[in-house]
Amino acid sequence: MTMEKKNSIKLTSNEMKLPHRHHTEEEEQFIFENMPAECTIATVAEAMKQLGDPTRLRIFWLLCHTEECVVDIAAFMNMSSPAVSHHLRILKATGLVTTRREGKEVYYAAAPNPMVQKLHITIEEIAEINCCDH
Amino acid sequence: MTMEKKNSIKLTSNEMKLPHRHHTEEEEQFIFENMPAECTIATVAEAMKQLGDPTRLRIFWLLCHTEECVVDIAAFMNMSSPAVSHHLRILKATGLVTTRREGKEVYYAAAPNPMVQKLHITIEEIAEINCCDH
DNA sequence: CAAACAATTAAATAGCTGTTTAATTGTTTT
DNA sequence: AAAACAATTAAACAGCTATTTAATTGTTTG
């Protein structure tokens, strides 16, 4: 009698994809079925990456609360205009902020979309949790 | 008669800190009073920075749903063990994941704290908004 | 139209980051 | 104790990123 695979009687065709067997097939299936698509991950990661810089996070927080021109943002951040401009361009390219020109000045503000709203709320909530000053 | 400053009659002592005058004093005050402290910003930015890498974001998502050993994480990610280990070390140093050794294997899982929970929820929600597959 | 101001862009540099390959440590099993 | 397996660490490299300084573009005002 030849060797039979242990799972030869299994009717459902799904195979386990992970080398070790620490989970049931159902658990493993859940992971692979609910795993976000690559482009979804990329979008979320991109937003988080840009807010992962303390400078940009503070600018973003500011722009979630008020619209500001570059000169005022630079003063608020205590940074040079070119440096601020660089970060604003990144935030805009990521879709986190929008711009509006009025005369000589360009006003930046948080982009009015649900992702930005969620990120803003999350930042405030996490800041609350890890608050350094009381 | 010498030049008098326009605001010489002001009784409240707060001065405007931004060079341009696009806001009322109250609006400006709100910003400076509610602005998160530097270390708060640093903590939030650090967490977001580490989740800003697509590889780590996917690992984090996985570990929010199940505990896994390094071999299985590497298989799930289709990456080498050293590369995965590198990212796991970063996630652990940031306090986003915890470890537990059992025999030869080290199991990683999302750290059980409110910041991690909030980040997980946010990731799922933003993924829902920007979902690529339907 | 020239001067002044706001903002952006460009070039250069220094520092950081992710992956690979190879070597090493820790644990179990025979 | 030696072999096998899991995980980490180290060294090296390529690619990216943030800031500075200088130059440029766009807009308004005298």
Side-chain angles (χ1 to χ4, degrees):
Chain A
M1 180 175 165
T2 56
M3 287 243 302
E4 291 279 329
K5 281 183 180 173
K6 279 181 182 172
N7 58 353
S8 58
I9 53 159
K10 193 154 60 67
L11 294 176
T12 54
S13 61
N14 287 67
E15 288 175 10
M16 306 287 274
K17 295 175 184 169
L18 301 180
H20 289 190
R21 298 299 213 94
H22 302 305
H23 301 291
T24 64
E25 185 166 339
E26 286 69 33
E27 286 168 345
E28 220 186 275
Q29 243 179 306
F30 176 88
I31 295 299
F32 281 94
E33 282 175 7
N34 290 81
M35 173 178 60
E38 197 179 327
C39 63
T40 307
I41 287 285
T43 305
V44 180
E46 181 66 15
M48 296 233 165
K49 177 183 182 183
Q50 303 315 342
L51 296 180
D53 178 78
T55 300
R56 280 193 292 270
L57 186 63
R58 254 177 92 210
I59 293 176
F60 181 74
W61 178 88
L62 175 67
L63 299 181
C64 281
H65 286 276
T66 183
E67 186 186 54
E68 291 286 0
C69 68
V70 177
V71 162
D72 277 358
I73 299 171
F76 177 79
M77 296 296 296
N78 203 26
M79 286 177 75
S80 71
S81 282
V84 165
S85 198
H86 166 72
H87 291 295
L88 290 171
R89 195 165 59 83
I90 292 173
L91 289 171
K92 191 180 176 185
T94 316
L96 294 171
V97 305
T98 55
T99 61
R100 170 177 79 83
R101 180 180 270 274
E102 190 175 316
K104 283 186 284 194
E105 289 158 302
V106 173
Y107 291 91
Y108 282 80
N113 67 56
M115 180 173 80
V116 165
Q117 283 169 16
K118 289 225 173 291
L119 287 168
H120 177 205
I121 291 168
T122 302
I123 290 164
E124 301 269 14
E125 286 177 347
I126 297 179
E128 184 80 17
I129 294 168
N130 303 10
C131 198
C132 301
D133 41 17
H134 287 94
Chain B
M1 182 176 165
T2 56
M3 288 246 300
E4 291 278 329
K5 280 182 181 173
K6 279 181 181 173
N7 59 351
S8 58
I9 53 159
K10 193 155 58 71
L11 293 177
T12 54
S13 62
N14 287 67
E15 289 175 9
M16 305 287 272
K17 294 174 183 169
L18 300 180
H20 290 190
R21 298 297 214 92
H22 302 304
H23 301 291
T24 65
E25 185 166 340
E26 286 69 32
E27 286 169 346
E28 220 186 273
Q29 243 179 306
F30 177 88
I31 295 299
F32 281 94
E33 281 175 8
N34 290 80
M35 173 178 61
E38 197 178 324
C39 64
T40 307
I41 287 285
T43 304
V44 180
E46 181 66 16
M48 295 235 164
K49 178 183 180 181
Q50 303 315 343
L51 296 179
D53 179 77
T55 300
R56 281 193 292 270
L57 185 64
R58 253 177 93 208
I59 293 176
F60 181 74
W61 178 89
L62 176 67
L63 299 180
C64 281
H65 286 275
T66 183
E67 187 186 54
E68 291 287 0
C69 67
V70 177
V71 161
D72 277 359
I73 299 171
F76 176 79
M77 296 295 297
N78 202 27
M79 287 177 73
S80 70
S81 283
V84 165
S85 198
H86 166 71
H87 290 295
L88 290 170
R89 195 164 59 83
I90 292 173
L91 289 171
K92 192 180 177 186
T94 316
L96 295 170
V97 305
T98 55
T99 61
R100 170 177 78 81
R101 182 179 268 275
E102 190 175 315
K104 283 187 284 194
E105 290 156 301
V106 173
Y107 291 91
Y108 282 79
N113 67 57
M115 181 174 78
V116 165
Q117 282 169 17
K118 288 225 174 291
L119 286 168
H120 177 205
I121 291 169
T122 302
I123 290 164
E124 301 269 13
E125 286 178 346
I126 297 180
E128 184 79 19
I129 294 169
N130 303 11
C131 197
C132 302
D133 42 18
H134 288 93

